[in-house]
Amino acid sequence: MKKAVITLAAMALTTALAASPASAAESGSRPDIDCMRAGMGVLKEAGLFSAVAMGGLPIETAVAVGVTVRSGADISGVPNPIPLSVVLADHRAGDNSLFVYPWCS
């Protein structure tokens, strides 16, 4: 069951990123590794990294620290809680991410 949820979440993120007008692959840009590292740092500083790695990140927790849904993004296919692999992939998506992260501006 958990593997199916992660697979569906990854598919939803892939679909959302592919549907964006200028995906990272099309624009030739590199993954936003600095943003991903900053997000990992935020989770570690809050003492949440292990818990998120095991059980995912509840959307309401992300919102409580200033994360917002990117204008025009459809997050209806994103599970709640969001698996860590999906959270990190979204951070790497840069301007094509589903969410806007205050530590990545």
Side-chain angles (χ1 to χ4, degrees):
M1 175 71 171
K2 185 175 181 179
K3 187 174 182 176
V5 169
I6 292 172
T7 301
L8 288 173
M11 288 172 51
L13 180 60
T14 300
T15 302
L17 294 177
S20 66
S23 70
E26 292 171 351
S27 66
S29 66
R30 299 180 62 192
D32 195 344
I33 302 301
D34 290 337
C35 179
M36 181 186 74
R37 287 182 181 148
M40 290 170 52
V42 168
L43 289 173
K44 288 176 182 177
E45 287 175 23
L48 296 173
F49 191 81
S50 294
V52 171
M54 291 179 9
L57 178 65
I59 293 174
E60 54 275 10
T61 301
V63 169
V65 296
V67 175
T68 58
V69 176
R70 188 170 297 281
S71 178
D74 177 11
I75 64 164
S76 62
V78 177
N80 190 15
I82 306 169
L84 179 61
S85 60
V86 175
V87 171
L88 296 178
D90 195 52
H91 275 74
R92 290 190 306 269
D95 292 337
N96 296 310
S97 64
L98 296 174
F99 298 95
V100 176
Y101 305 98
W103 44 86
C104 295
S105 337

